[in-house]
Amino acid sequence: EGRLNLMAMPGAPAANVLFNAGVQRVSLGPTAMLASLGTVQNIAQELRQTGTWSSIETNFFGYAEAEALFKHD
């Protein structure tokens, strides 16, 4: 017996399912960064193929939101 820790990957069950199965900790590891690279790839492909960048709007994070992450009150 011991703790069971898992890393979330595409296709993995939801966290609540894993926790109910006895998992103690679920980590995103590098998957969020890899997902963002997939977004960048999609934007680049659209730009090369059509000369447009409408796919950039899918997960756009505005400048104000980004700047707010670095503000300390």
Short mmCIF file of all heavy atoms in Angstrom, two decimals:
data_model
loop_
_atom_site.label_atom_id
_atom_site.label_comp_id
_atom_site.label_asym_id
_atom_site.label_seq_id
_atom_site.Cartn_x
_atom_site.Cartn_y
_atom_site.Cartn_z
N GLU A 1 0.83 -1.18 0.00
CA GLU A 1 0.00 0.00 0.00
C GLU A 1 0.87 1.23 0.00
O GLU A 1 1.93 1.26 0.56
CB GLU A 1 -0.91 0.00 1.22
CG GLU A 1 -1.99 -1.03 1.14
CD GLU A 1 -3.01 -0.87 2.24
OE1 GLU A 1 -3.22 0.25 2.71
OE2 GLU A 1 -3.59 -1.89 2.61
N GLY A 2 0.35 2.25 -0.63
CA GLY A 2 1.05 3.52 -0.69
C GLY A 2 0.23 4.51 -1.48
O GLY A 2 -0.84 4.19 -1.99
N ARG A 3 0.75 5.69 -1.58
CA ARG A 3 0.06 6.74 -2.31
C ARG A 3 0.18 6.50 -3.81
O ARG A 3 1.22 6.08 -4.29
CB ARG A 3 0.64 8.10 -1.97
CG ARG A 3 0.36 8.50 -0.56
CD ARG A 3 0.86 9.88 -0.30
NE ARG A 3 -0.06 10.49 0.63
CZ ARG A 3 -0.30 11.77 0.74
NH1 ARG A 3 0.34 12.61 -0.04
NH2 ARG A 3 -1.14 12.23 1.61
N LEU A 4 -0.88 6.81 -4.51
CA LEU A 4 -0.88 6.69 -5.96
C LEU A 4 -1.04 8.08 -6.55
O LEU A 4 -2.02 8.77 -6.29
CB LEU A 4 -2.02 5.79 -6.43
CG LEU A 4 -2.16 5.58 -7.93
CD1 LEU A 4 -0.89 4.95 -8.50
CD2 LEU A 4 -3.36 4.70 -8.21
N ASN A 5 -0.04 8.53 -7.31
CA ASN A 5 -0.05 9.83 -7.96
C ASN A 5 -0.05 9.62 -9.46
O ASN A 5 0.67 8.76 -9.97
CB ASN A 5 1.19 10.64 -7.57
CG ASN A 5 1.27 10.88 -6.08
OD1 ASN A 5 0.32 11.32 -5.47
ND2 ASN A 5 2.41 10.57 -5.49
N LEU A 6 -0.85 10.38 -10.16
CA LEU A 6 -0.95 10.26 -11.61
C LEU A 6 -0.77 11.61 -12.28
O LEU A 6 -1.06 12.65 -11.70
CB LEU A 6 -2.30 9.69 -12.02
CG LEU A 6 -2.59 8.26 -11.59
CD1 LEU A 6 -4.01 7.88 -12.00
CD2 LEU A 6 -1.60 7.30 -12.19
N MET A 7 -0.33 11.57 -13.54
CA MET A 7 -0.25 12.79 -14.33
C MET A 7 -1.39 12.77 -15.33
O MET A 7 -1.63 11.79 -16.02
CB MET A 7 1.08 12.89 -15.08
CG MET A 7 1.20 14.19 -15.82
SD MET A 7 2.85 14.64 -16.40
CE MET A 7 3.41 13.17 -17.19
N ALA A 8 -2.12 13.89 -15.39
CA ALA A 8 -3.23 14.03 -16.33
C ALA A 8 -2.69 14.06 -17.76
O ALA A 8 -1.73 14.75 -18.05
CB ALA A 8 -4.01 15.31 -16.03
N MET A 9 -3.32 13.29 -18.61
CA MET A 9 -2.95 13.23 -20.02
C MET A 9 -4.23 13.27 -20.84
O MET A 9 -5.31 12.96 -20.33
CB MET A 9 -2.19 11.94 -20.32
CG MET A 9 -0.88 11.77 -19.56
SD MET A 9 0.39 12.93 -20.05
CE MET A 9 0.82 12.32 -21.66
N PRO A 10 -4.14 13.62 -22.12
CA PRO A 10 -5.34 13.57 -22.96
C PRO A 10 -5.97 12.18 -22.91
O PRO A 10 -5.27 11.17 -22.97
CB PRO A 10 -4.81 13.89 -24.36
CG PRO A 10 -3.57 14.68 -24.12
CD PRO A 10 -2.97 14.10 -22.86
N GLY A 11 -7.28 12.14 -22.74
CA GLY A 11 -7.99 10.87 -22.69
C GLY A 11 -8.09 10.25 -21.31
O GLY A 11 -8.77 9.25 -21.13
N ALA A 12 -7.40 10.83 -20.33
CA ALA A 12 -7.45 10.29 -18.96
C ALA A 12 -8.81 10.60 -18.34
O ALA A 12 -9.46 11.58 -18.70
CB ALA A 12 -6.34 10.91 -18.11
N PRO A 13 -9.22 9.78 -17.41
CA PRO A 13 -10.49 10.06 -16.71
C PRO A 13 -10.41 11.40 -15.96
O PRO A 13 -9.32 11.89 -15.66
CB PRO A 13 -10.61 8.91 -15.71
CG PRO A 13 -9.70 7.85 -16.22
CD PRO A 13 -8.60 8.54 -16.96
N ALA A 14 -11.56 11.96 -15.64
CA ALA A 14 -11.63 13.21 -14.88
C ALA A 14 -11.04 13.02 -13.48
O ALA A 14 -10.99 11.90 -12.96
CB ALA A 14 -13.08 13.68 -14.78
N ALA A 15 -10.62 14.11 -12.89
CA ALA A 15 -9.99 14.05 -11.57
C ALA A 15 -10.87 13.37 -10.54
O ALA A 15 -10.38 12.55 -9.76
CB ALA A 15 -9.61 15.46 -11.11
N ASN A 16 -12.17 13.69 -10.52
CA ASN A 16 -13.03 13.08 -9.51
C ASN A 16 -13.11 11.56 -9.66
O ASN A 16 -13.19 10.83 -8.67
CB ASN A 16 -14.43 13.71 -9.50
CG ASN A 16 -15.20 13.46 -10.79
OD1 ASN A 16 -14.62 13.31 -11.86
ND2 ASN A 16 -16.51 13.43 -10.70
N VAL A 17 -13.04 11.07 -10.88
CA VAL A 17 -13.03 9.62 -11.11
C VAL A 17 -11.75 9.02 -10.55
O VAL A 17 -11.77 7.98 -9.89
CB VAL A 17 -13.18 9.30 -12.62
CG1 VAL A 17 -13.01 7.82 -12.88
CG2 VAL A 17 -14.53 9.80 -13.14
N LEU A 18 -10.63 9.67 -10.80
CA LEU A 18 -9.35 9.18 -10.29
C LEU A 18 -9.30 9.20 -8.77
O LEU A 18 -8.85 8.25 -8.13
CB LEU A 18 -8.21 10.01 -10.88
CG LEU A 18 -8.03 9.90 -12.40
CD1 LEU A 18 -7.01 10.91 -12.89
CD2 LEU A 18 -7.65 8.50 -12.80
N PHE A 19 -9.79 10.30 -8.19
CA PHE A 19 -9.79 10.39 -6.72
C PHE A 19 -10.69 9.31 -6.12
O PHE A 19 -10.32 8.70 -5.11
CB PHE A 19 -10.23 11.77 -6.26
CG PHE A 19 -9.26 12.87 -6.60
CD1 PHE A 19 -9.71 14.10 -7.05
CD2 PHE A 19 -7.89 12.68 -6.47
CE1 PHE A 19 -8.82 15.12 -7.36
CE2 PHE A 19 -6.98 13.69 -6.78
CZ PHE A 19 -7.45 14.91 -7.22
N ASN A 20 -11.83 9.06 -6.73
CA ASN A 20 -12.72 8.01 -6.23
C ASN A 20 -12.09 6.62 -6.35
O ASN A 20 -12.44 5.72 -5.60
CB ASN A 20 -14.06 8.03 -6.96
CG ASN A 20 -14.91 9.22 -6.56
OD1 ASN A 20 -14.76 9.77 -5.48
ND2 ASN A 20 -15.80 9.62 -7.45
N ALA A 21 -11.14 6.47 -7.27
CA ALA A 21 -10.45 5.19 -7.45
C ALA A 21 -9.25 5.06 -6.53
O ALA A 21 -8.55 4.04 -6.56
CB ALA A 21 -10.02 5.04 -8.90
N GLY A 22 -8.97 6.08 -5.72
CA GLY A 22 -7.89 5.99 -4.76
C GLY A 22 -6.67 6.83 -5.07
O GLY A 22 -5.70 6.82 -4.30
N VAL A 23 -6.66 7.54 -6.16
CA VAL A 23 -5.54 8.41 -6.48
C VAL A 23 -5.49 9.53 -5.45
O VAL A 23 -6.51 10.09 -5.06
CB VAL A 23 -5.69 8.98 -7.91
CG1 VAL A 23 -4.66 10.06 -8.19
CG2 VAL A 23 -5.57 7.86 -8.93
N GLN A 24 -4.28 9.85 -4.98
CA GLN A 24 -4.10 10.89 -3.98
C GLN A 24 -3.79 12.25 -4.58
O GLN A 24 -4.10 13.27 -3.99
CB GLN A 24 -2.95 10.50 -3.03
CG GLN A 24 -3.21 9.23 -2.26
CD GLN A 24 -4.33 9.39 -1.27
OE1 GLN A 24 -4.39 10.37 -0.55
NE2 GLN A 24 -5.26 8.45 -1.26
N ARG A 25 -3.17 12.25 -5.75
CA ARG A 25 -2.72 13.51 -6.35
C ARG A 25 -2.72 13.37 -7.86
O ARG A 25 -2.25 12.37 -8.40
CB ARG A 25 -1.31 13.82 -5.86
CG ARG A 25 -0.72 15.09 -6.38
CD ARG A 25 0.66 15.32 -5.72
NE ARG A 25 1.47 16.15 -6.54
CZ ARG A 25 2.37 15.72 -7.42
NH1 ARG A 25 2.59 14.44 -7.57
NH2 ARG A 25 3.07 16.56 -8.14
N VAL A 26 -3.24 14.39 -8.54
CA VAL A 26 -3.20 14.44 -10.00
C VAL A 26 -2.43 15.68 -10.40
O VAL A 26 -2.72 16.78 -9.94
CB VAL A 26 -4.62 14.48 -10.62
CG1 VAL A 26 -4.54 14.60 -12.13
CG2 VAL A 26 -5.42 13.24 -10.23
N SER A 27 -1.43 15.51 -11.23
CA SER A 27 -0.59 16.61 -11.68
C SER A 27 -0.84 16.88 -13.16
O SER A 27 -1.09 15.95 -13.93
CB SER A 27 0.88 16.24 -11.48
OG SER A 27 1.72 17.20 -12.09
N LEU A 28 -0.76 18.14 -13.56
CA LEU A 28 -0.83 18.48 -14.98
C LEU A 28 0.53 18.31 -15.64
O LEU A 28 0.60 18.17 -16.86
CB LEU A 28 -1.31 19.92 -15.17
CG LEU A 28 -2.76 20.19 -14.81
CD1 LEU A 28 -3.08 21.66 -15.04
CD2 LEU A 28 -3.70 19.31 -15.60
N GLY A 29 1.59 18.34 -14.85
CA GLY A 29 2.93 18.19 -15.43
C GLY A 29 3.10 19.17 -16.58
O GLY A 29 2.67 20.31 -16.51
N PRO A 30 3.70 18.73 -17.68
CA PRO A 30 3.91 19.62 -18.82
C PRO A 30 2.73 19.68 -19.79
O PRO A 30 2.81 20.32 -20.82
CB PRO A 30 5.13 19.00 -19.51
CG PRO A 30 4.95 17.53 -19.27
CD PRO A 30 4.38 17.44 -17.87
N THR A 31 1.60 19.04 -19.45
CA THR A 31 0.53 18.93 -20.43
C THR A 31 -0.11 20.27 -20.79
O THR A 31 -0.51 20.47 -21.92
CB THR A 31 -0.56 17.93 -19.98
OG1 THR A 31 -1.06 18.32 -18.71
CG2 THR A 31 -0.02 16.53 -19.91
N ALA A 32 -0.22 21.21 -19.85
CA ALA A 32 -0.79 22.52 -20.18
C ALA A 32 0.12 23.26 -21.16
O ALA A 32 -0.36 23.88 -22.11
CB ALA A 32 -0.99 23.35 -18.91
N MET A 33 1.43 23.17 -20.96
CA MET A 33 2.37 23.81 -21.89
C MET A 33 2.31 23.14 -23.25
O MET A 33 2.31 23.81 -24.28
CB MET A 33 3.79 23.74 -21.31
CG MET A 33 4.85 24.42 -22.16
SD MET A 33 5.61 23.39 -23.47
CE MET A 33 6.20 22.00 -22.58
N LEU A 34 2.21 21.82 -23.28
CA LEU A 34 2.13 21.11 -24.56
C LEU A 34 0.83 21.46 -25.28
O LEU A 34 0.82 21.61 -26.51
CB LEU A 34 2.24 19.61 -24.33
CG LEU A 34 3.60 19.14 -23.81
CD1 LEU A 34 3.54 17.66 -23.44
CD2 LEU A 34 4.70 19.40 -24.83
N ALA A 35 -0.26 21.62 -24.54
CA ALA A 35 -1.53 22.02 -25.15
C ALA A 35 -1.41 23.41 -25.75
O ALA A 35 -1.94 23.68 -26.84
CB ALA A 35 -2.65 21.98 -24.13
N SER A 36 -0.69 24.32 -25.07
CA SER A 36 -0.52 25.66 -25.62
C SER A 36 0.33 25.63 -26.89
O SER A 36 0.09 26.40 -27.82
CB SER A 36 0.08 26.61 -24.58
OG SER A 36 1.40 26.26 -24.27
N LEU A 37 1.30 24.73 -26.96
CA LEU A 37 2.08 24.58 -28.19
C LEU A 37 1.21 24.08 -29.34
O LEU A 37 1.39 24.48 -30.49
CB LEU A 37 3.26 23.64 -27.98
CG LEU A 37 4.41 24.19 -27.15
CD1 LEU A 37 5.47 23.11 -26.96
CD2 LEU A 37 5.01 25.41 -27.80
N GLY A 38 0.25 23.22 -29.03
CA GLY A 38 -0.70 22.77 -30.05
C GLY A 38 -1.52 23.92 -30.59
O GLY A 38 -1.80 24.00 -31.79
N THR A 39 -1.89 24.85 -29.70
CA THR A 39 -2.63 26.04 -30.13
C THR A 39 -1.77 26.90 -31.05
O THR A 39 -2.24 27.38 -32.09
CB THR A 39 -3.10 26.85 -28.90
OG1 THR A 39 -3.97 26.04 -28.12
CG2 THR A 39 -3.81 28.12 -29.31
N VAL A 40 -0.51 27.10 -30.68
CA VAL A 40 0.40 27.89 -31.51
C VAL A 40 0.56 27.22 -32.88
O VAL A 40 0.57 27.90 -33.92
CB VAL A 40 1.77 28.06 -30.82
CG1 VAL A 40 2.79 28.68 -31.75
CG2 VAL A 40 1.61 28.90 -29.56
N GLN A 41 0.67 25.91 -32.90
CA GLN A 41 0.79 25.19 -34.17
C GLN A 41 -0.45 25.40 -35.04
O GLN A 41 -0.34 25.64 -36.25
CB GLN A 41 1.00 23.70 -33.92
CG GLN A 41 1.15 22.91 -35.20
CD GLN A 41 1.29 21.43 -34.94
OE1 GLN A 41 0.66 20.88 -34.03
NE2 GLN A 41 2.12 20.77 -35.72
N ASN A 42 -1.64 25.35 -34.45
CA ASN A 42 -2.87 25.57 -35.21
C ASN A 42 -2.92 26.97 -35.79
O ASN A 42 -3.34 27.15 -36.94
CB ASN A 42 -4.10 25.32 -34.33
CG ASN A 42 -4.25 23.86 -33.97
OD1 ASN A 42 -3.71 22.98 -34.61
ND2 ASN A 42 -4.99 23.62 -32.90
N ILE A 43 -2.51 27.96 -35.02
CA ILE A 43 -2.49 29.34 -35.51
C ILE A 43 -1.51 29.46 -36.68
O ILE A 43 -1.83 30.07 -37.71
CB ILE A 43 -2.11 30.31 -34.37
CG1 ILE A 43 -3.21 30.33 -33.31
CG2 ILE A 43 -1.84 31.71 -34.92
CD1 ILE A 43 -2.80 30.99 -32.00
N ALA A 44 -0.33 28.88 -36.54
CA ALA A 44 0.68 28.94 -37.61
C ALA A 44 0.21 28.24 -38.87
O ALA A 44 0.41 28.74 -39.99
CB ALA A 44 1.99 28.33 -37.12
N GLN A 45 -0.43 27.09 -38.72
CA GLN A 45 -0.95 26.37 -39.89
C GLN A 45 -2.00 27.20 -40.62
O GLN A 45 -1.99 27.28 -41.85
CB GLN A 45 -1.53 25.02 -39.48
CG GLN A 45 -0.48 23.99 -39.17
CD GLN A 45 -1.09 22.69 -38.66
OE1 GLN A 45 -2.22 22.63 -38.19
NE2 GLN A 45 -0.31 21.62 -38.74
N GLU A 46 -2.92 27.80 -39.86
CA GLU A 46 -3.94 28.63 -40.49
C GLU A 46 -3.30 29.81 -41.23
O GLU A 46 -3.67 30.11 -42.37
CB GLU A 46 -4.93 29.17 -39.45
CG GLU A 46 -5.98 30.07 -40.07
CD GLU A 46 -6.85 30.79 -39.06
OE1 GLU A 46 -6.71 30.56 -37.84
OE2 GLU A 46 -7.68 31.61 -39.50
N LEU A 47 -2.34 30.44 -40.61
CA LEU A 47 -1.67 31.58 -41.23
C LEU A 47 -0.97 31.18 -42.52
O LEU A 47 -1.10 31.87 -43.55
CB LEU A 47 -0.68 32.20 -40.25
CG LEU A 47 0.01 33.48 -40.69
CD1 LEU A 47 -1.00 34.56 -41.04
CD2 LEU A 47 0.95 33.97 -39.59
N ARG A 48 -0.28 30.04 -42.50
CA ARG A 48 0.41 29.56 -43.71
C ARG A 48 -0.58 29.18 -44.81
O ARG A 48 -0.35 29.45 -45.98
CB ARG A 48 1.29 28.36 -43.38
CG ARG A 48 2.62 28.71 -42.76
CD ARG A 48 3.58 27.51 -42.77
NE ARG A 48 2.99 26.29 -42.26
CZ ARG A 48 3.07 25.85 -41.00
NH1 ARG A 48 3.74 26.54 -40.11
NH2 ARG A 48 2.52 24.72 -40.64
N GLN A 49 -1.67 28.52 -44.43
CA GLN A 49 -2.60 27.98 -45.42
C GLN A 49 -3.56 29.02 -45.97
O GLN A 49 -3.92 28.96 -47.15
CB GLN A 49 -3.39 26.81 -44.82
CG GLN A 49 -2.52 25.61 -44.53
CD GLN A 49 -3.25 24.54 -43.72
OE1 GLN A 49 -4.39 24.71 -43.31
NE2 GLN A 49 -2.57 23.42 -43.50
N THR A 50 -4.02 29.95 -45.14
CA THR A 50 -5.07 30.87 -45.58
C THR A 50 -4.70 32.33 -45.47
O THR A 50 -5.41 33.18 -46.00
CB THR A 50 -6.36 30.64 -44.77
OG1 THR A 50 -6.13 31.03 -43.41
CG2 THR A 50 -6.82 29.20 -44.82
N GLY A 51 -3.63 32.63 -44.75
CA GLY A 51 -3.25 34.02 -44.53
C GLY A 51 -4.09 34.71 -43.47
O GLY A 51 -4.00 35.92 -43.29
N THR A 52 -4.91 33.94 -42.76
CA THR A 52 -5.73 34.50 -41.69
C THR A 52 -5.29 33.94 -40.34
O THR A 52 -4.50 32.99 -40.29
CB THR A 52 -7.22 34.14 -41.90
OG1 THR A 52 -7.38 32.71 -41.84
CG2 THR A 52 -7.72 34.64 -43.26
N TRP A 53 -5.81 34.52 -39.28
CA TRP A 53 -5.46 34.06 -37.94
C TRP A 53 -6.66 34.07 -37.01
O TRP A 53 -6.57 34.34 -35.82
CB TRP A 53 -4.33 34.90 -37.34
CG TRP A 53 -4.53 36.37 -37.49
CD1 TRP A 53 -5.26 37.18 -36.68
CD2 TRP A 53 -4.02 37.18 -38.52
NE1 TRP A 53 -5.24 38.46 -37.15
CE2 TRP A 53 -4.47 38.50 -38.29
CE3 TRP A 53 -3.22 36.95 -39.63
CZ2 TRP A 53 -4.15 39.56 -39.12
CZ3 TRP A 53 -2.90 38.02 -40.46
CH2 TRP A 53 -3.36 39.29 -40.20
N SER A 54 -7.80 33.71 -37.54
CA SER A 54 -9.02 33.70 -36.72
C SER A 54 -8.94 32.66 -35.60
O SER A 54 -9.60 32.82 -34.56
CB SER A 54 -10.26 33.46 -37.58
OG SER A 54 -10.18 32.21 -38.24
N SER A 55 -8.14 31.62 -35.76
CA SER A 55 -8.01 30.61 -34.70
C SER A 55 -7.36 31.17 -33.45
O SER A 55 -7.48 30.58 -32.37
CB SER A 55 -7.23 29.39 -35.21
OG SER A 55 -5.94 29.76 -35.61
N ILE A 56 -6.72 32.32 -33.56
CA ILE A 56 -6.10 32.94 -32.39
C ILE A 56 -7.17 33.37 -31.38
O ILE A 56 -6.90 33.49 -30.19
CB ILE A 56 -5.21 34.13 -32.81
CG1 ILE A 56 -4.09 34.33 -31.82
CG2 ILE A 56 -6.00 35.41 -32.97
CD1 ILE A 56 -3.00 35.25 -32.33
N GLU A 57 -8.40 33.56 -31.86
CA GLU A 57 -9.48 34.02 -30.99
C GLU A 57 -10.03 32.90 -30.11
O GLU A 57 -10.70 33.18 -29.12
CB GLU A 57 -10.60 34.61 -31.83
CG GLU A 57 -10.16 35.83 -32.62
CD GLU A 57 -11.20 36.31 -33.61
OE1 GLU A 57 -12.32 35.76 -33.62
OE2 GLU A 57 -10.89 37.23 -34.37
N THR A 58 -9.76 31.66 -30.44
CA THR A 58 -10.33 30.53 -29.70
C THR A 58 -10.00 30.57 -28.23
O THR A 58 -10.87 30.40 -27.38
CB THR A 58 -9.84 29.20 -30.31
OG1 THR A 58 -10.19 29.18 -31.69
CG2 THR A 58 -10.45 28.01 -29.61
N ASN A 59 -8.75 30.80 -27.89
CA ASN A 59 -8.32 30.82 -26.48
C ASN A 59 -7.58 32.10 -26.15
O ASN A 59 -6.68 32.10 -25.32
CB ASN A 59 -7.43 29.62 -26.19
CG ASN A 59 -8.16 28.32 -26.32
OD1 ASN A 59 -9.20 28.12 -25.70
ND2 ASN A 59 -7.66 27.42 -27.13
N PHE A 60 -7.97 33.19 -26.79
CA PHE A 60 -7.24 34.45 -26.60
C PHE A 60 -7.31 34.91 -25.16
O PHE A 60 -8.37 34.92 -24.54
CB PHE A 60 -7.78 35.54 -27.52
CG PHE A 60 -6.96 36.79 -27.48
CD1 PHE A 60 -5.72 36.83 -28.10
CD2 PHE A 60 -7.41 37.91 -26.82
CE1 PHE A 60 -4.95 37.98 -28.06
CE2 PHE A 60 -6.64 39.06 -26.78
CZ PHE A 60 -5.42 39.10 -27.40
N PHE A 61 -6.17 35.27 -24.63
CA PHE A 61 -6.03 35.80 -23.27
C PHE A 61 -5.58 37.23 -23.44
O PHE A 61 -4.47 37.50 -23.88
CB PHE A 61 -4.98 34.97 -22.52
CG PHE A 61 -5.01 35.13 -21.03
CD1 PHE A 61 -6.03 34.57 -20.29
CD2 PHE A 61 -4.02 35.82 -20.38
CE1 PHE A 61 -6.06 34.69 -18.91
CE2 PHE A 61 -4.03 35.95 -19.00
CZ PHE A 61 -5.06 35.39 -18.27
N GLY A 62 -6.45 38.19 -23.13
CA GLY A 62 -6.18 39.59 -23.39
C GLY A 62 -5.00 40.16 -22.61
O GLY A 62 -4.55 39.59 -21.62
N TYR A 63 -4.53 41.31 -23.09
CA TYR A 63 -3.39 41.96 -22.44
C TYR A 63 -3.71 42.35 -21.00
O TYR A 63 -2.89 42.19 -20.11
CB TYR A 63 -2.97 43.21 -23.23
CG TYR A 63 -2.36 42.88 -24.56
CD1 TYR A 63 -3.05 43.11 -25.74
CD2 TYR A 63 -1.10 42.30 -24.64
CE1 TYR A 63 -2.50 42.79 -26.97
CE2 TYR A 63 -0.53 41.98 -25.86
CZ TYR A 63 -1.24 42.22 -27.02
OH TYR A 63 -0.69 41.91 -28.23
N ALA A 64 -4.93 42.86 -20.78
CA ALA A 64 -5.30 43.26 -19.41
C ALA A 64 -5.29 42.05 -18.47
O ALA A 64 -4.82 42.16 -17.33
CB ALA A 64 -6.68 43.91 -19.42
N GLU A 65 -5.79 40.93 -18.94
CA GLU A 65 -5.79 39.72 -18.11
C GLU A 65 -4.36 39.26 -17.82
O GLU A 65 -4.05 38.85 -16.71
CB GLU A 65 -6.57 38.59 -18.79
CG GLU A 65 -8.05 38.83 -18.89
CD GLU A 65 -8.47 39.58 -20.14
OE1 GLU A 65 -7.62 40.03 -20.92
OE2 GLU A 65 -9.68 39.70 -20.34
N ALA A 66 -3.51 39.34 -18.82
CA ALA A 66 -2.11 38.92 -18.64
C ALA A 66 -1.40 39.85 -17.66
O ALA A 66 -0.68 39.38 -16.76
CB ALA A 66 -1.38 38.89 -19.98
N GLU A 67 -1.59 41.13 -17.81
CA GLU A 67 -0.96 42.09 -16.91
C GLU A 67 -1.46 41.91 -15.47
O GLU A 67 -0.69 42.07 -14.53
CB GLU A 67 -1.19 43.52 -17.39
CG GLU A 67 -0.41 43.84 -18.64
CD GLU A 67 -0.72 45.22 -19.20
OE1 GLU A 67 -1.64 45.90 -18.66
OE2 GLU A 67 -0.06 45.61 -20.16
N ALA A 68 -2.74 41.59 -15.32
CA ALA A 68 -3.30 41.42 -13.99
C ALA A 68 -2.64 40.25 -13.24
O ALA A 68 -2.61 40.25 -12.01
CB ALA A 68 -4.81 41.19 -14.07
N LEU A 69 -2.12 39.28 -13.96
CA LEU A 69 -1.45 38.16 -13.31
C LEU A 69 -0.20 38.58 -12.55
O LEU A 69 0.25 37.91 -11.64
CB LEU A 69 -1.07 37.09 -14.34
CG LEU A 69 -2.23 36.37 -15.03
CD1 LEU A 69 -1.69 35.47 -16.13
CD2 LEU A 69 -3.04 35.57 -14.03
N PHE A 70 0.38 39.72 -12.94
CA PHE A 70 1.64 40.16 -12.36
C PHE A 70 1.48 41.32 -11.38
O PHE A 70 2.46 41.82 -10.86
CB PHE A 70 2.63 40.54 -13.48
CG PHE A 70 2.97 39.37 -14.34
CD1 PHE A 70 2.31 39.19 -15.55
CD2 PHE A 70 3.90 38.44 -13.95
CE1 PHE A 70 2.60 38.09 -16.36
CE2 PHE A 70 4.20 37.35 -14.74
CZ PHE A 70 3.54 37.17 -15.95
N LYS A 71 0.25 41.74 -11.13
CA LYS A 71 0.01 42.83 -10.19
C LYS A 71 -0.03 42.28 -8.78
O LYS A 71 -0.60 41.23 -8.52
CB LYS A 71 -1.30 43.52 -10.50
CG LYS A 71 -1.23 44.35 -11.77
CD LYS A 71 -2.52 45.10 -11.99
CE LYS A 71 -2.39 45.92 -13.26
NZ LYS A 71 -3.64 46.62 -13.55
N HIS A 72 0.60 43.00 -7.88
CA HIS A 72 0.61 42.62 -6.46
C HIS A 72 -0.10 43.71 -5.68
O HIS A 72 0.32 44.86 -5.69
CB HIS A 72 2.03 42.44 -5.95
CG HIS A 72 2.76 41.36 -6.64
ND1 HIS A 72 2.54 40.04 -6.38
CD2 HIS A 72 3.71 41.38 -7.61
CE1 HIS A 72 3.33 39.29 -7.15
NE2 HIS A 72 4.05 40.09 -7.90
N ASP A 73 -1.15 43.33 -5.01
CA ASP A 73 -1.89 44.32 -4.20
C ASP A 73 -1.37 44.36 -2.79
O ASP A 73 -0.88 43.48 -2.23
CB ASP A 73 -3.38 43.98 -4.19
CG ASP A 73 -4.00 44.15 -5.58
OD1 ASP A 73 -3.52 45.00 -6.33
OD2 ASP A 73 -4.95 43.42 -5.86
#
